[in-house]
Amino acid sequence: MEQPYVLGIDIGGQTAKSGVVNARGEVLAQTILVSNNHEDAASFVGALAGTLKKLISDAGVSGQVRGIGVGAPNGNFYTGEIKDAPNLAWAHEKNIPFAKMLSEAMDGLPVALTNDANAAAVGEMTYGAAKGLKDFIMITLGTGVGSGIVIDGKVVYGHDGFAGELGHTCAVRGGRTCNCGKTGCLEAYCSAIGVARTAKEWLEMHPEESSLLRLRENLTSKDVYEAAKAGDNMAKEIFDFTGNLLGRSFADFIAFSAPEAIVLFGGLARAREFLYEPILKSMNENLLPLWRDKVKLLFSSLSESDAAILGASALAWDF
Amino acid sequence: MEQPYVLGIDIGGQTAKSGVVNARGEVLAQTILVSNNHEDAASFVGALAGTLKKLISDAGVSGQVRGIGVGAPNGNFYTGEIKDAPNLAWAHEKNIPFAKMLSEAMDGLPVALTNDANAAAVGEMTYGAAKGLKDFIMITLGTGVGSGIVIDGKVVYGHDGFAGELGHTCAVRGGRTCNCGKTGCLEAYCSAIGVARTAKEWLEMHPEESSLLRLRENLTSKDVYEAAKAGDNMAKEIFDFTGNLLGRSFADFIAFSAPEAIVLFGGLARAREFLYEPILKSMNENLLPLWRDKVKLLFSSLSESDAAILGASALAWDF
């Protein structure tokens, strides 16, 4: 019997990564399309469909693809639309019926769409650290802070398809301004950009303190990570601070859905050696006794290059 | 054909209220058992079963009762146990297999157990303000602050059956000590007891300000409500303060599950005229633009005396 396959697509501001995935969660072939040089959605979808058809043909799986799963910023699972996505150059229209457009361009193959963090949660549950878990919260620590919430084995989409915006819950009352226009959001502190902001603020606030971070221009969270690895005190304290904010927010999230685990994913989660202890400590300090020392803190086990594609592709097994 | 009935039981620290309920959500007969004079769970369950049998017989519905729904502090839907309930005088054991004990005492009638806030959510969804809603969050403002979360038509129980402890999310970092041992919990500010604490604190902090509240001893939230009704400024500001804290917490809850509405229930929710505007204002100020002015704030429409029984009874229709 012929094996079934699915396609997974991870759409970001700069590129769209696509892959052919088998039922064991192996990415058999993948390709990257530059996505920021398209004028409108129709042009982008046309180019993407061309790429996908070539990918299917090159991988020798024509006729065996069951469907397509797409993770995209502000992708709505219910409507199949991408809504108000400022980071996508081709997404000028307020609501783009992306799933429908791509399905039509792919000769009727079914297309499921969700946001990138939900896709990551599905991927982690299907192939990764959350395999076998029915209740967990996925937190993506990347340029922003995203989240995908799984309750009783299902992603929570909410009334309107936009549930799980935990990066925009309040971490610090009256704190920093966030990209979203509010103040004190978790994302403003605990994203890659938030960590870099903390470093810049601390360097200014403590001019007397020597730090490797002073040697860098245009500080990034990667610089902070490398300085911490080199033993820099301020860099390590920045991770303590970041972990403390994450942990106390996680405690509130746990009070909501009583998950078995929090699963961390994304670039900043690579700083596990500096984040794990401070997160766990502050999470447990802020939990009700009934959950203290019982909720696991896991880190994604998916290889970074495959994770986004796998997560998106996992959606398509439901067709 | 004979009509089916269910029993609803609301167990509190002082009394257990039981009622016979029909499929239209009408409480046909009810009775109250004093619950704080029993030495252990077996004694209480024995007395309760006697009460229920008399109730069934008096109401003339013998043989037509499909099951029993029970709402109790720390009641666990999954295990049917009441766990660590300090307010129940007869609950000395750490885990009481309450559903099993009551079912045996009731000749095998099926018994479903959950905590009181979840029972209220089920009742509101079945008979009340949340009828027709599939995604909402019930907040009970009573002696404490409880919550029942409904996603896609189902109560969220979480990994361990204890989901929905939103009264113990953090409202004020480093704030008041809560009964649970943590600091700054929503319950420490926005329960009936929390409102009374605010009043006492404010009277001490502002000795120069005249207020009707100064005339009361052992201030309660009811005193604050009555003073506000009489036009007292400080009392009105206490409700503004309380509503502001509730609203900003609700904004974070909405970011979690994207509900259609927040539904308020319980004694303090009777102060609707003073709470509605400040809650709505601060909720919308703290929401992401995508939800602003879109999420409803509803107040329970169930008559107070029936609500707890109805909520518990609604669980039993699933048998």
Side-chain angles (χ1 to χ4, degrees):
Chain A
M1 209 175 90
E2 286 193 325
Q3 270 201 48
Y5 298 92
V6 288
L7 300 186
I9 308 175
D10 174 53
I11 296 179
Q14 305 300 316
T15 62
K17 294 176 198 138
S18 306
V20 176
V21 179
N22 69 14
R24 281 197 298 275
E26 292 160 339
V27 180
L28 303 180
Q30 52 180 298
T31 181
I32 292 183
L33 174 71
V34 173
S35 59
N36 61 359
N37 55 354
H38 291 273
E39 286 198 354
D40 56 25
S43 154
F44 172 68
V45 168
L48 181 62
T51 307
L52 295 177
K53 285 175 181 173
K54 183 164 185 312
L55 184 69
I56 291 171
S57 158
D58 288 354
V61 297
S62 299
Q64 291 160 264
V65 174
R66 284 181 48 170
I68 303 172
V70 183
N74 293 22
N76 189 308
F77 181 75
Y78 288 150
T79 64
E81 293 174 341
I82 293 176
K83 187 175 178 180
D84 295 330
N87 298 330
L88 302 178
W90 45 270
H92 303 298
E93 300 104 298
K94 215 172 144 55
N95 291 305
I96 296 165
F98 191 85
K100 185 164 171 281
M101 289 170 75
L102 184 60
S103 178
E104 284 170 6
M106 291 299 291
D107 311 320
L109 264 183
V111 175
L113 173 73
T114 191
N115 76 34
D116 26 5
N118 286 340
V122 174
E124 213 62 51
M125 181 166 54
T126 314
Y127 308 114
K131 207 165 175 171
L133 299 188
K134 294 185 77 177
D135 296 276
F136 68 96
I137 300 175
M138 178 90 183
I139 303 284
T140 61
L141 302 173
T143 318
V145 173
S147 62
I149 300 157
V150 173
I151 293 179
D152 205 18
K154 289 192 267 308
V155 172
V156 173
Y157 293 109
H159 170 56
D160 56 9
F162 291 112
E165 284 289 355
L166 300 184
H168 299 283
T169 56
C170 187
V172 179
R173 287 286 161 208
R176 290 178 193 160
T177 302
C178 181
N179 279 337
C180 74
K182 304 200 302 156
T183 58
C185 291
L186 190 62
E187 172 163 311
Y189 290 86
C190 300
S191 60
I193 289 171
V195 167
R197 282 176 80 175
T198 303
K200 285 171 206 156
E201 277 182 23
W202 287 24
L203 287 171
E204 274 188 34
M205 278 167 54
H206 304 286
E208 76 295 351
E209 199 176 325
S210 69
S211 165
L212 293 172
L213 299 173
R214 294 205 186 277
L215 309 173
R216 309 274 183 166
E217 282 180 42
N218 298 318
L219 264 178
T220 66
S221 62
K222 194 155 169 272
D223 295 327
V224 182
Y225 176 62
E226 282 167 4
K229 278 201 97 136
D232 187 76
N233 266 339
M234 187 186 280
K236 286 196 276 185
E237 279 165 24
I238 288 169
F239 280 115
D240 284 349
F241 170 79
T242 307
N244 176 51
L245 291 187
L246 284 169
R248 66 192 209 181
S249 287
F250 292 174
D252 282 351
F253 305 160
I254 291 165
F256 199 100
S257 65
E260 196 172 349
I262 303 278
V263 184
L264 296 180
F265 178 88
L268 199 61
R270 269 176 279 172
R272 177 180 179 154
E273 65 213 275
F274 302 112
L275 285 172
Y276 184 81
E277 290 295 338
I279 293 177
L280 207 63
K281 180 166 180 285
S282 109
M283 184 172 104
N284 281 315
E285 280 169 3
N286 288 281
L287 277 175
L288 282 178
L290 92 103
W291 289 309
R292 215 163 277 163
D293 300 319
K294 285 184 189 150
V295 183
K296 291 178 206 134
L297 180 65
L298 304 175
F299 285 69
S300 169
S301 63
L302 296 177
S303 94
E304 192 119 8
S305 60
D306 292 349
I309 289 173
L310 279 177
S313 77
L315 283 175
W317 288 116
D318 285 335
F319 287 125
Chain B
M1 210 176 86
E2 287 194 322
Q3 269 201 49
Y5 298 92
V6 288
L7 300 186
I9 308 175
D10 174 52
I11 296 179
Q14 306 300 314
T15 62
K17 294 175 199 139
S18 306
V20 175
V21 179
N22 69 13
R24 281 197 298 275
E26 292 160 341
V27 180
L28 303 181
Q30 53 179 297
T31 181
I32 291 184
L33 174 71
V34 174
S35 59
N36 61 0
N37 57 354
H38 291 276
E39 286 198 353
D40 57 26
S43 154
F44 172 67
V45 168
L48 181 62
T51 308
L52 295 177
K53 284 176 182 174
K54 183 164 187 312
L55 184 70
I56 291 171
S57 157
D58 288 355
V61 297
S62 298
Q64 291 162 264
V65 175
R66 285 181 47 169
I68 303 172
V70 183
N74 292 21
N76 188 309
F77 181 75
Y78 289 150
T79 64
E81 293 175 339
I82 293 177
K83 186 177 178 178
D84 296 329
N87 298 330
L88 302 178
W90 45 269
H92 303 299
E93 299 105 299
K94 215 172 145 54
N95 292 304
I96 296 166
F98 191 84
K100 186 164 171 280
M101 288 170 76
L102 184 59
S103 178
E104 284 171 5
M106 291 300 290
D107 311 319
L109 265 183
V111 175
L113 173 74
T114 191
N115 76 34
D116 27 5
N118 286 341
V122 173
E124 212 61 51
M125 181 165 56
T126 315
Y127 306 114
K131 207 165 176 171
L133 299 188
K134 294 185 76 177
D135 295 276
F136 67 97
I137 298 175
M138 179 91 184
I139 302 285
T140 62
L141 301 173
T143 319
V145 173
S147 62
I149 300 157
V150 174
I151 292 179
D152 204 17
K154 288 190 267 308
V155 172
V156 173
Y157 293 109
H159 169 57
D160 56 8
F162 290 112
E165 284 289 356
L166 299 184
H168 298 284
T169 57
C170 187
V172 179
R173 288 283 161 208
R176 289 177 193 160
T177 302
C178 181
N179 279 337
C180 74
K182 303 199 302 155
T183 59
C185 291
L186 190 62
E187 172 164 309
Y189 290 85
C190 299
S191 61
I193 289 172
V195 167
R197 281 176 80 176
T198 303
K200 286 171 206 158
E201 277 181 21
W202 287 23
L203 288 171
E204 275 189 32
M205 278 166 55
H206 304 285
E208 78 294 349
E209 199 175 325
S210 70
S211 165
L212 293 173
L213 298 173
R214 294 204 186 277
L215 309 174
R216 309 276 184 163
E217 282 179 40
N218 296 321
L219 264 178
T220 66
S221 62
K222 193 154 170 274
D223 295 327
V224 181
Y225 176 63
E226 282 167 4
K229 278 201 98 136
D232 186 76
N233 266 338
M234 187 186 281
K236 286 196 275 187
E237 279 165 24
I238 288 169
F239 280 115
D240 284 349
F241 170 80
T242 307
N244 177 52
L245 291 187
L246 284 169
R248 65 191 209 181
S249 287
F250 292 175
D252 283 350
F253 304 161
I254 291 164
F256 199 101
S257 65
E260 195 170 352
I262 303 279
V263 185
L264 296 180
F265 179 89
L268 198 61
R270 268 176 281 173
R272 177 180 178 152
E273 65 215 274
F274 302 111
L275 284 173
Y276 184 80
E277 291 294 338
I279 293 177
L280 208 62
K281 181 166 179 284
S282 107
M283 184 172 103
N284 281 315
E285 281 169 2
N286 288 280
L287 277 175
L288 282 177
L290 91 104
W291 290 308
R292 216 164 278 162
D293 300 320
K294 286 184 189 149
V295 182
K296 292 177 207 134
L297 180 64
L298 304 175
F299 285 70
S300 170
S301 63
L302 297 176
S303 95
E304 193 120 7
S305 60
D306 293 348
I309 288 172
L310 279 177
S313 78
L315 282 176
W317 289 116
D318 285 336
F319 288 126

